[in-house]
Amino acid sequence: MPTRRETFSIETKEELQAIDITDRVTRIVRASGLKEGIAVVFVAGSTCAVAATESEPGLLESDIPVALERLAPHDGRYAHNVGGGDANGHSHVRSTVLGSSVTLPFGEGKPLLGAWQHIVLFELDIRSRKREVVVQLVGE
Ligand code: ZN
């Protein structure tokens, strides 16, 4: 079965920045020439995440950051921060829980997302980063 792989990079600005990458993924699926299959959207990095969610400011700027702070508080105690690691133990925990990838089906040459469902990249590290996003397609 044919496969395609595209990569793009994103310069993030700050911790908890949410970036809607749905349009970029949709363009990659359309340009692939594949009509039916699955897409994996993966961010390479252990302090970042990709999720399928509604792209709405209340969620992205408040509800999700508040939930992440409850889950893995910024000023909590992390072994990662002590044993020669850097100061981003909470970033790794948040990334692990949210996940580095989303798998979604596509049909008729476009992602089969819900009406309000978007693909969003979350910067979880404590500083700006350059992120590589891999979109791997398998289909026909
Ligand atoms: Zn670290």
Side-chain angles (χ1 to χ4, degrees):
M1 189 166 269
T3 63
R4 308 273 192 278
R5 187 181 72 242
E6 293 288 336
T7 303
F8 61 89
S9 54
I10 291 180
E11 304 263 359
T12 65
K13 293 191 179 74
E14 60 190 357
E15 184 170 20
L16 292 172
Q17 184 183 4
I19 301 171
D20 189 337
I21 59 172
T22 311
D23 288 347
R24 298 187 82 157
V25 173
T26 299
R27 284 201 298 273
I28 288 169
V29 172
R30 284 216 175 100
S32 73
L34 301 175
K35 294 299 174 199
E36 305 282 331
I38 57 170
V40 176
V41 181
F42 173 82
V43 61
S46 63
T47 51
C48 195
V50 175
T53 185
E54 186 169 332
S55 184
E56 183 275 317
L59 273 175
L60 299 184
E61 294 166 19
S62 179
D63 298 338
I64 292 171
V66 165
L68 291 173
E69 180 64 22
R70 263 190 233 121
L71 175 79
H74 202 278
D75 61 357
R77 294 171 58 105
Y78 299 92
H80 179 74
N81 297 358
V82 177
D86 35 19
N88 61 359
H90 66 290
S91 309
H92 292 288
V93 173
R94 293 172 179 190
S95 166
T96 303
V97 172
L98 278 183
S100 302
S101 68
V102 165
T103 304
L104 60 140
F106 60 89
E108 297 170 10
K110 60 182 186 196
L112 299 176
L113 292 164
W116 304 106
Q117 194 173 26
H118 288 239
I119 304 164
V120 177
L121 179 147
F122 291 93
E123 178 56 71
L124 301 172
D125 213 335
I126 54 178
R127 58 188 174 89
S128 61
R129 301 287 301 264
K130 183 179 182 185
R131 298 301 189 179
E132 297 293 326
V133 179
V134 180
V135 180
Q136 180 76 57
L137 308 177
V138 180
E140 56 189 15

